[in-house]
Each structure stands twice: as structure tokens, then as C-alpha cells.
């Protein structure tokens, strides 16, 4: 079971983190010593609204036991305030409160009886953290026995690993606790301790902590949820079928997003909602990739069924694949990979999404479109418009890139300074200009929008960019990038599963996320 600590510095950020965490984790831990202006009632009720099954731990860590990782400023609560917060958590129905052993027997026993008076639904975790070292095994057993002596639901012992051997000491507490029928969470922090986070769950540690993003650690050495889930899957595979340890199975599983950065991506929300609705047990996780070759090798090794590819790898990924589909080859970019028994084929669904979206508004044949930009999306747009019998005209900041594209596809190129000279039916922005958080930017001046019947922006965050707002004021019919995004994603699912994806649901999920962000 995976627990994501919520450590955001403001309530707003915490609510956002809760929303995301509740969709991917089994537990969240509300670190009320870190969440600025955190209102416990609001945080707990937000989590319950998103997921009825999520388990909530409320923690208020002492300075001495809080790792300084991430440079988060701690909120100094007095001892009385801390006890009041725990009582409030109990009244609000938190599933667990995590109290340090160091708080003392008297306070622990007061909180235990408060729990019982309030129906006994909140369980107690008694914890011990050493943020600088790992004590000897004898000392660790002594600490465990003291914690267990308070008869909590769970004992938690976390230390800092200075060497690989430290992991062995802490991990050995797990069978020690199990023999005494005591549930335990035991692991080591720090880079040396990472291995304990991987091994502890399979030895019987009650849960493991993970982050949504690599930079969101509440303690050093924490892995991301996606990494933990992959490891779990691998370990399970190894346990159930030793033969699959080395050779991939014939049925690849799971879906991933390869990009850098990926934290802004809405694809995990959209794809996971779709897979769930389709009754597919596999999941979709985002990977922030440093080394593309390694990531693709990992995809083969772990037999991942499909991947989305995003900025900046849409072109670079092609050399790592076995086959490229005809459309993707002509466009010169891949945004989707399908793994057929170890053979990786690249596809491009961006152009399908874009063309589908335009065709909902107008017929492309014989119409002229100004394409602003000359990157991956511009290539997909130019390709799709030509394929549909339309005429693209390229306008790009870097003349050299624009000209290369115009020669490749046999269409005109203009520098941005000459955009006013062009007569066309539609204009499509394929640059990131105007994308959140730069909502007040537009790739062209308002005056240059006169004369276009249709204006499309491939950006979908915000839903109505400055370009679209101004185009609407000029009387143009506007087309947002939302449908393109959903459609390219739906096409990915179709390629991976061969089944029709729930388009409306995917659109609803993305729209909800965007409305929340806005
Ligand atoms: P890309 O390959 O990096 O190309 C970006 C293009 O935008 C380049 O031609 C670049 O011009 C131009 N550009 C960048 N910053 C600019 C600026 N400040 N002023 C003028 N031109 C600028 O990126 P991409 O993969 O095509 O993605 C572009 C956008 O499309 C992103 O915002 C992405 O999120 C969006 N997108 C949306 C969907 C969807 O489903 N709705 C799908 C794919 C992409 P230079 O050549 O001068 O550098």
C-alpha cells in the first residue's frame, strides 16, 4: 500500500496535491507541521470527496524528528496546540494519527482514550524517527518494544541510512514485529536507504511512502508512486513466475508517458479514467525522462504495452524504435508507441486529433490555413491539412526552420513580420505562446486576426487563450486545443487496446482538471 505525504506550503497547493494523490495512492499523510494555513476539516473533507476508500493519516512532526528535505519551513505548534490538532483529527474521522514515542506515555494515553470516546475509528501509529543515523539493532529492538508497549495499531520506525548495512538492521524489525503480531512500518531514509523502501513492502511493512513527483519528497530517498508501482509489479511477477524474471511475457502491461517535464501533463488523469471505465486493470503513469535510450530500453525490459511521448522527445524517440508507422514517418515525429511482443512501433496521433477537431468546425478541402510555428505540432498540422486537401502556409519565428518545413511539404513560408500580407480561411497556432502560466501572451497582434473565418489554438490550458479571446472579438469562429488533446489521447488508447475509448468521459475529466487549475 502506498502513502503520499502532503507537505505543500499552502492550503491551496495542499488541496491540489490531495486531489491528485487520492487518485493514485491508498493513503495520504497530512503533515500539519508543514501545510501552511491548513484547515484540517477542509483537507480531510476534500480527500473524502475525491475518494471514499482513501485512508488518512494525520501527523504533526516534532522538529527533532522532521527531515529538512525540500527545505520546507515547519510550523511551530506548541505541545497543547499539537494535542488539540490530533483531537480535531480524531473528531473529523481521520483513519490514523501518528504520534511520536517521544511525546510521552501520558499524552499518548490521553489521545488513546480520546479515540475510544469518539467511537474508536481512529487508530494510533506510534512512531520513532532518527533523521541523522541508524541506531544499533539492539537499540532499535528496544525502541520497537517501547512503541509496541503502547499497544498502537501500527509501530513506525524510520532511520537515516549511512551505509547499506543500516537497511538490514531496520528491515530485520519487520519479521521481528510480525512474529509478535504487531503491524509495522520500517524503512530507512537517504540515498543509501532507498533499497529499504523497495524491499520493505514485500517483507511485510504495512505501507510505503512515495511522492507524486521526484521533487516532492518529504524525506530523502523517497521514490515516486509510479516507480513504486512498477517495482511492486516486477516483484510480484518475480514471485509468481520465476521464468518471467528475465524474459518478458507475451502480454505486455501498463502504459506510460515519456517526457520532460511531465508534471503539468493531464494525460495520466485522462488515460487512467478511460482505462478504469473500460474495465482494463492496467494503469498509466508519467515518467520524467533524463535518458531517452534508457527509458525505451526500460519499456522493453518491463514489457510496457504502450507509451505516449511528449516534449522534447517526439523526434528523438524515433531512432530507438523498431518500426515507424507511415503517417508518423512522413510527419517526422512520434507521440505514441505500441509494444507488440517486444517490437516497438511509433505512431502519431497528434495529427489525427488536430484534423478531427478542425473537421468538427469546417471542411478542410480547398481551404487555406496559416500555421504559426514549425515544430512537431506544426509538422502534424501541415501533414494533416495537405492530406485532407487543404493548403497550409507556414509562419515561424526562426526562418530557417520554417523554410525547411515549407520545402519538405511544398508550401509557402512567411516570416511573422509579413503575416498581414497573407489571405487565408483559417489560422492555427502551434507554438506554446499563450500557454499557462503565460496567459497574457499571444503569438500574433490582434489587428492581424482580421479576415480569418476560423482561428484554432492547439493550447488547451487555458481553454480560451488570449489568441482565441481576441479572435472571438474580431468575429472569428474559435477552436480550442481541448478536443485535439482528448482525441489524440483516445486514438492512443485505441492503438494500445484495440477497443473504443470513452471519449465523453475523457473530455469531462480533462475539462474538470482544467477548470480546477483555472
Ligand atoms: P516544438 O516542437 O518545440 O515547437 C514549438 C514551435 O513554437 C517552434 O516552431 C518555435 O519556433 C515556436 N515558438 C516557441 N516559442 C515561441 C515564441 N516565444 N514565439 C514564437 N514562436 C515560438 O513544440 P510542439 O511539440 O510542436 O508543441 C507546441 C505546443 O503545442 C505546445 O504548447 C504543446 O503543449 C501543444 N500541443 C498540444 C496538443 C494538443 O493535443 N492540444 C498536442 C501536441 C502539442 P522556433 O522554431 O523559432 O523555435
Amino acid at each position: 500500500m502506498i502513502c503520499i505525504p502532503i507537505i505543500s506550503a499552502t492550503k491551496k497547493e495542499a488541496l491540489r496535491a490531495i486531489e491528485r494523490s487520492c487518485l493514485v495512492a491508498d493513503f495520504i499523510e497530512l503533515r500539519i507541521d508543514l501545510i501552511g494555513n491548513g484547515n484540517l476539516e477542509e483537507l480531510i473533507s476534500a480527500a473524502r470527496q475525491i475518494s471514499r476508500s482513501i485512508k488518512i493519516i494525520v501527523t504533526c512532526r516534532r522538529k527533532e524528528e522532521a527531515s529538512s528535505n525540500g527545505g520546507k519551513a515547519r510550523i511551530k505548534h506548541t505541545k497543547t496546540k499539537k494535542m488539540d490538532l490530533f483531537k480535531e483529527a480524531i473528531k473529523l474521522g481521520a483513519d490514523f494519527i501518528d504520534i511520536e514515542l517521544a511525546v510521552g506515555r501520558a499524552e499518548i494515553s490521553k489521545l488513546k482514550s480520546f479515540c475510544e470516546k469518539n467511537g474508536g475509528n481512529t487508530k494510533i501509529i506510534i512512531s520513532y524517527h532518527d533523521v541523522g543515523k541508524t541506531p544499533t539493532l539492539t537499540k532499535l529492538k528496544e525502541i520497537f518494544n517501547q512503541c509496541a508497549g503502547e499497544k498502537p495499531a501500527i509501530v513506525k520506525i524510520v532511520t537515516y541510512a549511512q551505509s547499506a548495512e543500516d537497511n538490514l538492521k531496520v528491515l530485520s524489525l519487520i519479521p521481528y514485529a510480525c512474529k509478535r503480531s504487531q503491524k509495522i512500518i520500517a524503512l530507512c531514509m537517504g540515498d543509501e536507504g532507498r533499497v529499504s523502501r523497495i524491499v520493505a513492502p514485500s517483507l511485510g511493512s504495512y505501507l510505503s511512502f512515495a511522492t507524486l513527483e521526484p521533487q516532492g519528497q518529504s524525506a530523502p530517498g523517497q521514490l515516486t508512486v509510479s516507480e513504486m508501482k512498477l517495482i511492486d509489479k516486477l516483484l510480484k511477477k518475480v514471485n509468481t513466475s520465476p521464468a518471467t524474471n528475465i524474459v518478458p511475457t507475451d502480454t505486455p502491461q501498463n502504459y506510460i508517458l515519456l517526457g520532460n517535464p511531465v508534471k503539468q501533463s493531464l494525460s495520466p488523469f485522462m488515460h487512467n479514467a478511460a482505462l478504469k471505465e473500460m474495465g482494463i486493470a492496467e494503469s498509466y503513469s508519467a515518467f520524467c525522462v533524463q535518458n531517452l535510450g534508457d527509458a525505451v530500453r526500460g519499456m522493453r525490459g518491463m514489457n510496457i504495452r504502450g507509451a505516449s511521448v511528449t516534449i522534447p522527445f517526439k523526434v528523438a524517440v524515433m531512432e530507438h524504435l523498431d518500426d515507424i508507422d507511415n503517417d508518423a514517418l512522413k510527419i517526422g515525429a512520434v507521440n505514441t508507441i505500441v509494444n507488440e511482443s517486444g517490437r516497438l512501433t511509433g505512431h502519431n496521433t497528434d495529427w489525427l486529433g488536430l484534423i478531427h477537431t478542425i473537421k468538427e468546425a469546417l471542411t478542410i478541402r480547398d481551404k487555406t490555413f496559416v500555421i504559426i510555428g514549425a515544430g512537431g505540432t506544426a509538422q502534424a498540422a501541415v501533414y494533416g491539412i495537405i492530406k485532407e486537401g487543404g493548403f497550409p502556409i507556414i509562419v515561424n519565428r526562426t526562418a530557417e526552420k520554417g523554410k525547411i518545413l515549407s520545402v519538405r511539404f511544398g508550401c509557402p513560408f512567411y516570416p511573422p513580420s509579413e503575416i498581414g500580407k497573407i489571405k487565408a480561411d483559417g489560422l492555427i497556432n502551434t507554438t506554446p505562446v499563450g500557454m499557462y502560466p503565460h496567459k497574457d501572451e499571444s503569438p500574433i497582434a490582434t489587428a492581424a486576426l482580421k479576415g480569418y473565418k476560423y482561428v484554432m489554438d492547439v493550447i488547451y490550458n487555458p481553454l480560451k487563450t488570449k489568441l482565441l479571446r481576441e479572435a472571438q472579438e474580431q468575429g472569428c469562429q474559435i477552436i480550442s486545443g481541448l478536443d485535439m488533446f482528448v482525441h489524440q489521447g483516445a486514438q492512443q488508447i485505441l492503438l494500445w487496446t484495440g477497443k473504443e475509448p470513452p471519449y465523453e468521459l475523457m473530455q469531462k475529466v480533462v475539462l474538470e482538471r482544467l477548470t480546477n487549475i483555472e
Side-chain angles (χ1 to χ4, degrees):
M1 287 187 290
I2 292 179
C3 175
I4 301 185
I6 307 294
I7 58 168
S8 313
T10 65
K11 184 175 74 186
K12 200 171 159 200
E13 284 170 22
L15 288 170
R16 203 171 291 161
I18 287 171
E19 202 180 332
R20 295 178 60 203
S21 303
C22 288
L23 297 174
V24 293
D26 309 290
F27 283 72
I28 55 168
E29 180 191 40
L30 299 176
R31 283 285 301 270
I32 48 180
D33 55 318
L34 292 177
I35 305 172
N37 67 351
N39 172 324
L40 208 46
E41 185 169 4
E42 216 176 316
L43 299 175
I44 291 180
S45 112
R48 296 276 185 239
Q49 269 171 32
I50 297 157
S51 164
R52 275 202 223 141
S53 59
I54 194 82
K55 297 267 183 263
I56 302 171
I57 304 174
V58 174
T59 309
C60 187
R61 193 72 62 239
R62 298 183 320 134
K63 181 166 148 265
E64 297 79 356
E65 296 197 36
S67 134
S68 60
N69 197 270
K72 302 273 172 192
R74 286 188 65 262
I75 302 157
K76 289 178 196 108
H77 292 303
T78 60
K79 197 169 172 184
T80 317
K81 172 78 179 161
K82 192 166 156 166
M83 290 305 131
D84 286 347
L85 281 167
F86 278 137
K87 285 180 186 164
E88 191 189 346
I90 295 165
K91 281 195 204 151
L92 291 168
D95 298 283
F96 294 90
I97 52 169
D98 173 339
I99 320 164
E100 293 119 339
L101 180 66
V103 164
R105 176 157 270 183
E107 300 297 348
I108 292 172
S109 120
K110 272 187 219 160
L111 285 173
K112 276 175 78 180
S113 42
F114 194 83
C115 281
E116 275 152 31
K117 269 190 218 142
N118 281 274
N121 295 326
T122 306
K123 307 276 177 251
I124 289 189
I125 301 174
I126 302 286
S127 64
Y128 170 88
H129 306 81
D130 189 327
V131 295
K133 62 175 188 324
T134 297
T136 61
L137 184 56
T138 314
K139 180 72 187 161
L140 283 172
K141 284 187 176 166
E142 207 178 283
I143 294 164
F144 168 84
N145 289 330
Q146 281 175 32
C147 293
E150 301 299 334
K151 305 215 179 324
I154 303 168
V155 169
K156 178 185 174 200
I157 296 185
V158 178
T159 68
Y160 188 90
Q162 291 175 329
S163 66
E165 292 76 33
D166 284 342
N167 291 299
L168 297 176
K169 287 190 256 172
V170 171
L171 290 173
S172 72
L173 291 176
I174 301 173
Y176 185 77
C178 291
K179 266 189 211 145
R180 287 156 183 78
S181 305
Q182 172 64 62
K183 289 196 178 85
I184 185 167
I185 301 165
L187 56 96
C188 288
M189 292 179 270
D191 287 343
E192 289 285 4
R194 197 161 292 176
V195 65
S196 72
R197 294 182 185 273
I198 295 168
V199 177
S202 49
L203 289 180
S205 184
Y206 187 71
L207 57 78
S208 41
F209 293 88
T211 62
L212 280 169
E213 268 107 26
Q215 63 274 29
Q217 297 174 328
S218 65
Q222 258 169 18
L223 296 154
T224 63
V225 174
S226 323
E227 287 166 338
M228 289 299 291
K229 286 191 172 173
L230 262 181
I231 289 163
D232 184 49
K233 256 199 160 66
L234 280 172
L235 288 174
K236 278 190 185 137
K237 241 184 210 173
V238 172
N239 286 341
T240 52
S241 169
T244 62
N245 195 352
I246 301 160
V247 184
T249 58
D250 284 333
T251 47
Q253 297 174 31
N254 278 318
Y255 308 95
I256 53 173
L257 168 67
L258 304 175
N260 189 348
V262 291
K263 71 172 180 190
Q264 80 294 349
S265 176
L266 298 183
S267 296
F269 299 103
M270 177 173 76
H271 283 329
N272 280 319
L275 293 168
K276 192 171 170 197
E277 175 75 13
M278 292 166 78
I280 295 171
E282 315 301 329
S283 67
Y284 180 101
S285 328
F287 281 84
C288 187
V289 170
Q290 301 294 340
N291 181 318
L292 182 62
D294 284 350
V296 177
R297 271 190 290 283
M299 180 177 174
R300 287 180 200 276
M302 288 183 264
N303 220 13
I304 301 288
R305 166 69 182 152
S308 313
V309 183
T310 189
I311 287 174
F313 300 124
K314 288 185 185 181
V315 176
V317 77
M318 295 172 80
E319 67 175 89
H320 299 282
L321 307 177
D322 304 301
D323 293 306
I324 309 283
D325 140 87
N326 212 12
D327 293 318
L329 201 59
K330 287 186 183 150
I331 292 165
V334 158
N335 79 328
T336 311
I337 305 173
V338 180
N339 182 355
E340 294 287 358
S341 305
R343 193 162 184 84
L344 304 187
T345 304
H347 298 257
N348 190 307
T349 66
D350 279 336
W351 81 275
L352 290 169
L354 184 129
I355 294 303
H356 174 90
T357 305
I358 302 177
K359 280 167 82 177
E360 299 249 289
L362 66 143
T363 314
I364 295 175
R365 179 160 296 282
D366 293 330
K367 299 229 172 44
T368 311
F369 296 85
V370 169
I371 313 286
I372 309 179
T377 313
Q379 289 167 37
V382 170
Y383 174 76
I385 286 168
I386 293 175
K387 196 164 172 159
E388 290 291 322
F391 302 101
I393 300 169
I394 298 155
V395 173
N396 192 49
R397 177 180 65 174
T398 308
E400 207 187 337
K401 275 172 75 182
K403 281 179 190 163
I404 291 173
L405 193 56
S406 89
V407 170
R408 236 181 88 202
F409 286 99
C411 52
F413 164 76
Y414 286 82
S417 57
E418 291 183 31
I419 198 167
K421 294 182 186 165
I422 310 170
K423 292 265 168 297
D425 300 285
L427 178 140
I428 305 169
N429 172 42
T430 69
T431 77
V433 181
M435 188 162 76
Y436 179 86
H438 305 287
K439 294 196 286 190
D440 293 315
E441 290 175 19
S442 170
I444 67 167
T446 320
L449 286 166
K450 269 203 182 117
Y452 291 102
K453 216 167 162 191
Y454 308 96
V455 173
M456 174 175 181
D457 204 328
V458 299
I459 294 169
Y460 53 89
N461 183 11
L463 279 168
K464 205 187 259 184
T465 57
K466 185 175 184 213
L467 171 72
L468 293 187
R469 291 198 306 271
E470 291 183 340
Q472 200 168 36
E473 283 163 17
Q474 296 291 324
C476 316
Q477 184 176 334
I478 58 166
I479 306 167
S480 122
L482 173 74
D483 280 344
M484 173 182 171
F485 175 68
V486 177
H487 200 77
Q488 62 79 32
Q491 288 296 318
Q492 294 187 320
I493 292 201
L494 189 64
L495 281 168
W496 295 330
T497 66
K499 293 180 189 149
E500 209 51 48
Y503 186 89
E504 268 81 16
L505 173 81
M506 293 166 78
Q507 190 184 44
K508 183 171 162 268
V509 169
V510 178
L511 209 53
E512 275 171 6
R513 304 289 318 172
L514 287 171
T515 317
N516 280 346
I517 293 167
E518 284 195 9

